[in-house]
Amino acid sequence: MSCALEVVNLSLSFDFSEGKTDREKQWVFKDLNFKITEGDFIMLTGHSGCGKSSLINMINGVIPHLKKADVQGDIYIHGHCVTDSPVRERTKAVGSVFQNPREQIIFDRVADEIVFPMENINETPQRMRDKLNALLSMTGLLADAQTATLSGGEKQKLMTACTLGMGQKILLLDEPLANMDVRSAKELLELLKRLSDEEGYTVILSEHRQELVLPYVDKVFFCVKSFDENVEMTLEIRDNAENYECDLSSLPDRTSRKKTNVAADAEPVFSVENIDYRVGDRALFDNFSWQINRGDEWVILGENGCGKTTLLNLLFGFVRPTFGSIVSPYNKKRNKRKIGYVLQNPDYQLFMPRVKDELYLNASSPEFVEQLIRLFGFEHMLERHPLSLSEGQKRKLGFACIIANEPEVLFLDEPTVGLDDEGMEQLLRALALLNEKTGNDRTIVTVSHDKRAIPYLGDQFLVLSHCEPYLQFCNNKTPPTSELPAPMLTERAI
Amino acid sequence: MHMCKETRDIHPILLLVFSLLLFVMGLLFVKSTWFWMYVVTFSVLFLLFRFEKLMLKLIPFVLAFGLVMGSLTLINGSMQDALYAIYRVLALGLAGVLSMSIRPIHLVRALNQLCVPRWISLGLLIVIRFIQIFREEIKRIRQAIALRGIRFASTPALWSRAFFIPLTVRMLSISEGLATSLETRGFSTDSAGSSFEVICLKRRDLVFSILFLTCLTVFAYLFLRGH
């Protein structure tokens, strides 16, 4: 097999301080060297904010051609040096799927979005039609669906389909599974594996959910902290993925935060009574009923696009059911303040000039905020602007700001997306801290696909599905002993 | 071989041109005694060609905007001036029915077929798309503000901060995301690209054009004769 990608002495720095020599500068990484042969399937993993996305963006040319940075060293694609080639040149050989698919969608119809890159590379209409049909059947998306009504996971599938349609032999995927349900994620991984094994595609996939990706990959590139104080990270390459074990031992014991005195006759806080809800022509809920009692900890599971986030929005009152009603003491405007809702994208909830101001805004007690600062390790960034933080740090800050208000009801929408194991542990410990502080009557409703976190996020599970019967209730009070909490929580459901 | 897709949509370039014509002519005709005939004639034509859903959607906007414009004009002008202001909004509404029925992707493809440079057609598309994104983002930011318990009535400065900072950040982030996405999906101003479907003139377009232009000519004649 010939070499698909070679990186020689590659260094990256965002330190633009004047007068500093290369030795004095702060480097994200320095003098990286690796070779990837055609047909390799590689997982790129490591802590949040360690530079995985930057490495991917250097290979496809986004850094430094679209995002300014100091880059040294050379990149060879299929033996040709592309260091000075702009993004559009490299795109001929390298396909990229980025994080935040919502920001990349141009068209209002799924089919138009998928064929757009094919139009750019001068494909014939017939070939476009064939590829479109294949990609639609692979992703399960509908050609005429409106892109604005797709869920986060469906948008991610759409962007992946767009890239696969271009047919480049090197694929770079930056957390493409973040919002996908396990079944969709496995389908995508199987497809990538097939492309890599049978058609010689080279795949580099960055992902935190190591246990999901590991069975498919040939090599693991692990971003680890560098020993050089001027360099943040370096790469550890494990040639044989089978010898690599993911470390989840640091996670807290689920039983340690199991509730002991939840009242058997707890009052209902949300009674969903026979609601219907439609998005366009799609019926998301049809005669759906559900009850959440005070102190309950529910996790909503289900395939992409089955209405998990919509259900949170219905409970909060952002959207109203087409038919039926949701009875809750929190329907009153003055009680809405007692609900904390952590959104998928933290950018919407951060606006103060400093991290400190953000945390203390609306905080119920300064002592609790200080505990959260220590827990999340915000001590050294209190004076920083919240939007200057990395994505993982912003997510943790957004979460901390909401729970600092000590809400009676907490809605969490994919709280662990993009978080490494350490970040996830901090988040779970913060939830335990919140419960410790305010007793056991906190009600938590979480939407998650994250197999790592689900067993720790609740003890009752609501499974939504497109298929008939589209709804199942799973009440499982037994703490999970394995990776999944109960036999009824099939992988399809997560 | 390129296939012409059979749809009920009128050709996007025709819609764009007719929409502009309808608006400009409408502004010229507002002071004519038969202006209401102009509105009724084209409304009937639009109903014949199944634009009823869009017309229904636009009625609340035309009523609200017309009343606002009429009321503002009434402050300094006469009742007649206020009526003319409402007529201008009606002309805008009529033109809006046609322009809003254009599917952006069809317009881009039709412009590409006319060899309009791709940076112009795609630029136009992104501008159209950005209006929609802007609306969605504002909705989400207002929801996020409500979630942090901030009210404009009690803390207007904080509310403004919570609104404008995320809005700016999101707009910049979306612009950057779109630019990167375009580059990595092979968009280039140097290449003409191919087209998934050919937008061609159909019999329905011809019938619509003949009826539209006939009506417009009649009103133009009435207008010129009046002068």
Side-chain angles (χ1 to χ4, degrees):
Chain A
M1 284 282 186
S2 61
C3 179
L5 179 76
E6 185 178 2
V7 157
V8 180
N9 297 330
L10 193 67
S11 306
L12 170 73
S13 171
F14 293 107
D15 186 354
F16 298 110
S17 322
E18 280 181 24
K20 276 191 181 176
T21 62
D22 280 357
R23 267 175 170 275
E24 294 161 339
K25 265 187 182 176
Q26 191 63 36
W27 295 89
V28 179
F29 42 80
K30 194 152 174 53
D31 297 330
L32 289 187
N33 288 287
F34 59 84
K35 268 186 186 181
I36 299 174
T37 49
E38 281 177 7
D40 270 354
F41 191 162
I42 284 154
M43 172 168 75
L44 179 61
T45 190
H47 298 292
S48 305
C50 68
K52 299 186 294 292
S53 300
S54 297
L55 183 57
I56 282 181
N57 284 338
M58 287 172 77
I59 297 170
N60 61 26
V62 169
I63 294 175
H65 295 285
L66 297 180
K67 286 180 185 168
K68 199 180 160 199
D70 185 357
V71 174
Q72 294 177 6
D74 287 312
I75 296 172
Y76 294 85
I77 292 175
H78 299 305
H80 301 289
C81 181
V82 294
T83 313
D84 298 322
S85 307
V87 179
R88 78 178 64 128
E89 278 304 313
R90 295 193 203 188
T91 296
K92 289 173 186 164
V94 179
S96 311
V97 178
F98 297 98
Q99 292 178 21
N100 303 327
R102 224 168 72 77
E103 294 173 2
Q104 298 158 45
I105 293 172
I106 304 169
F107 298 94
D108 54 1
R109 213 173 64 108
V110 164
D112 297 330
E113 193 71 33
I114 296 177
V115 297
F116 171 68
M118 297 188 238
E119 288 180 319
N120 291 336
I121 56 169
N122 281 312
E123 286 283 24
T124 62
Q126 187 53 51
R127 213 170 135 66
M128 282 192 248
R129 212 160 284 129
D130 294 343
K131 277 190 183 177
L132 173 66
N133 290 334
L135 290 165
L136 287 173
S137 92
M138 184 206 94
T139 53
L141 295 170
L142 298 172
D144 287 322
Q146 293 290 306
T147 51
T149 63
L150 299 180
S151 71
E154 286 172 318
K155 283 178 180 158
Q156 230 154 6
K157 284 184 191 176
L158 174 63
M159 296 320 293
T160 309
C162 287
T163 302
L164 291 176
M166 291 179 76
Q168 300 104 324
K169 287 282 182 163
I170 300 175
L171 296 176
L172 308 173
L173 302 104
D174 194 0
E175 299 200 27
L177 316 176
N179 292 85
M180 278 192 198
D181 57 74
V182 170
R183 187 176 66 164
S184 303
K186 286 193 165 178
E187 278 170 6
L188 177 64
L189 288 166
E190 274 158 20
L191 174 85
L192 293 171
K193 183 73 181 157
R194 209 166 54 240
L195 289 173
S196 127
D197 286 347
E198 294 168 16
E199 297 183 40
Y201 277 67
T202 307
V203 182
I204 303 176
L205 187 142
S206 140
E207 184 58 49
H208 285 298
R209 290 150 80 185
Q210 299 169 14
E211 81 292 348
L212 194 64
V213 185
L214 212 53
Y216 298 89
V217 298
D218 305 312
K219 289 179 188 174
V220 178
F221 282 20
F222 194 75
C223 299
V224 290
K225 210 171 158 45
S226 164
F227 292 113
D228 185 338
E229 61 176 20
N230 285 341
V231 182
E232 285 171 30
M233 58 91 64
T234 185
L235 268 186
E236 248 180 50
I237 298 173
R238 320 271 168 97
D239 276 336
N240 189 351
E242 284 168 13
N243 294 339
Y244 177 77
E245 284 177 15
C246 39
D247 178 23
L248 292 173
S249 57
S250 60
L251 291 179
D253 180 6
R254 170 70 180 82
T255 51
S256 68
R257 53 183 290 270
K258 184 166 164 49
K259 294 180 175 185
T260 49
N261 56 345
V262 178
D265 55 346
E267 56 155 335
V269 282
F270 292 98
S271 298
V272 180
E273 294 169 0
N274 309 100
I275 62 160
D276 291 355
Y277 186 75
R278 304 182 72 83
V279 177
D281 296 334
R282 269 166 82 194
L284 282 182
F285 296 102
D286 184 11
N287 202 24
F288 168 57
S289 298
W290 184 31
Q291 183 164 305
I292 303 173
N293 294 329
R294 190 166 300 284
D296 279 359
E297 289 185 351
W298 283 89
V299 184
I300 306 174
L301 312 164
E303 302 149 30
N304 293 129
C306 64
K308 298 182 295 297
T309 300
T310 306
L311 186 53
L312 287 188
N313 287 338
L314 281 162
L315 292 176
F316 189 84
F318 278 149
V319 287
R320 289 181 192 285
T322 324
F323 183 81
S325 61
I326 298 173
V327 181
S328 164
Y330 298 100
N331 284 349
K332 289 178 186 159
K333 217 170 185 177
R334 65 168 186 276
N335 287 346
K336 285 248 188 279
R337 279 169 172 248
K338 295 173 187 164
I339 302 179
Y341 188 163
V342 179
L343 300 174
Q344 271 188 43
N345 186 343
D347 280 356
Y348 294 110
Q349 290 182 307
L350 304 176
F351 47 81
M352 296 303 280
R354 293 175 302 179
V355 168
K356 190 162 78 179
D357 302 327
E358 204 75 73
L359 283 163
Y360 284 100
L361 179 77
N362 292 338
S364 292
S365 80
E367 296 78 32
F368 185 44
V369 175
E370 280 155 27
Q371 279 179 306
L372 290 173
I373 290 172
R374 281 195 298 275
L375 178 66
F376 284 110
F378 290 140
E379 295 99 330
H380 308 295
M381 49 184 93
L382 289 174
E383 297 299 320
R384 277 179 68 177
H385 196 288
L387 296 172
S388 71
L389 305 179
S390 76
E391 283 302 312
Q393 287 165 337
K394 275 196 272 188
R395 192 169 286 277
K396 288 190 256 183
L397 178 63
F399 176 82
C401 292
I402 297 295
I403 68 163
N405 197 18
E406 296 175 30
E408 287 177 10
V409 177
L410 189 58
F411 293 159
L412 305 171
D413 193 358
E414 301 276 12
T416 56
V417 163
L419 288 186
D420 52 24
D421 293 340
E422 190 193 344
M424 193 177 87
E425 188 193 342
Q426 289 170 333
L427 194 135
L428 294 171
R429 290 202 190 285
L431 275 181
L433 202 63
L434 181 70
N435 269 350
E436 248 173 51
K437 191 170 164 53
T438 51
N440 274 338
D441 58 353
R442 169 112 30 254
T443 310
I444 304 178
V445 185
T446 309
V447 165
S448 183
H449 284 130
D450 195 340
K451 205 166 144 183
R452 300 173 303 169
I454 288 168
Y456 304 94
L457 286 167
D459 50 14
Q460 299 189 71
F461 306 92
L462 169 66
V463 185
L464 302 180
S465 169
H466 293 301
C467 316
E468 289 290 342
Y470 80 101
L471 195 70
Q472 303 168 36
F473 289 89
C474 306
N475 292 313
N476 178 8
K477 298 286 181 187
T478 316
T481 48
S482 64
E483 55 186 4
L484 289 177
M488 59 277 256
L489 281 172
T490 60
E491 289 192 342
R492 181 191 62 76
I494 306 169
Chain B
M1 203 178 105
H2 282 214
M3 295 283 288
C4 193
K5 203 179 172 185
E6 268 308 313
T7 62
R8 271 179 28 205
D9 300 337
I10 305 287
H11 195 283
I13 304 278
L14 288 181
L15 286 174
L16 189 68
V17 174
F18 289 170
S19 162
L20 283 172
L21 273 177
L22 207 56
F23 182 54
V24 173
M25 295 299 226
L27 291 183
L28 280 176
F29 301 159
V30 281
K31 292 188 178 173
S32 307
T33 49
W34 41 261
F35 181 78
W36 63 273
M37 279 279 287
Y38 176 80
V39 175
V40 170
T41 308
F42 284 101
S43 300
V44 171
L45 182 67
F46 294 167
L47 286 174
L48 283 175
F49 281 81
R50 310 298 307 269
F51 286 98
E52 69 277 358
K53 276 188 186 167
L54 262 175
M55 289 171 78
L56 279 174
K57 263 189 191 171
L58 273 170
I59 285 173
F61 162 79
V62 171
L63 283 178
F65 193 44
L67 280 175
V68 170
M69 294 305 287
S71 312
L72 289 175
T73 313
L74 204 57
I75 296 169
N76 285 322
S78 64
M79 196 62 176
Q80 193 64 40
D81 294 333
L83 200 63
Y84 292 154
I86 294 172
Y87 283 176
R88 284 187 192 102
V89 176
L90 270 176
L92 179 70
L94 272 183
V97 172
L98 291 187
S99 57
M100 280 178 67
S101 71
I102 302 173
R103 282 208 30 222
I105 183 67
H106 285 172
L107 182 64
V108 169
R109 287 180 182 146
L111 289 171
N112 285 347
Q113 281 165 230
L114 294 176
C115 297
V116 172
R118 291 195 89 206
W119 64 270
I120 295 181
S121 55
L122 209 76
L124 191 70
L125 173 79
I126 288 174
V127 169
I128 297 170
R129 181 86 182 105
F130 221 77
I131 296 167
Q132 195 189 341
I133 292 173
F134 201 70
R135 226 172 45 198
E136 283 169 21
E137 289 300 313
I138 286 176
K139 189 176 148 201
R140 280 167 199 265
I141 290 165
R142 290 184 61 181
Q143 288 180 345
I145 293 174
L147 293 174
R148 296 290 304 264
I150 298 163
R151 287 183 175 188
F152 183 76
S154 46
T155 48
L158 187 63
W159 190 94
S160 306
R161 186 180 182 93
F163 181 77
F164 288 108
I165 290 180
L167 184 68
T168 313
V169 170
R170 290 296 301 150
M171 287 300 117
L172 290 172
S173 168
I174 290 169
S175 311
E176 192 185 302
L178 277 179
T180 310
S181 166
L182 280 175
E183 289 263 343
T184 51
R185 286 199 275 165
F187 176 76
S188 158
T189 48
D190 310 330
S191 148
S194 56
S195 198
F196 179 60
E197 58 181 341
V198 178
I199 311 291
C200 49
L201 280 171
K202 301 178 293 286
R203 196 183 303 157
R204 188 178 155 82
D205 298 325
L206 289 177
V207 177
F208 181 76
S209 304
I210 291 166
L211 287 174
F212 182 93
L213 291 172
T214 310
C215 295
L216 205 64
T217 312
V218 170
F219 286 111
Y221 171 74
L222 286 176
F223 177 73
L224 291 172
R225 203 182 62 170
H227 277 73

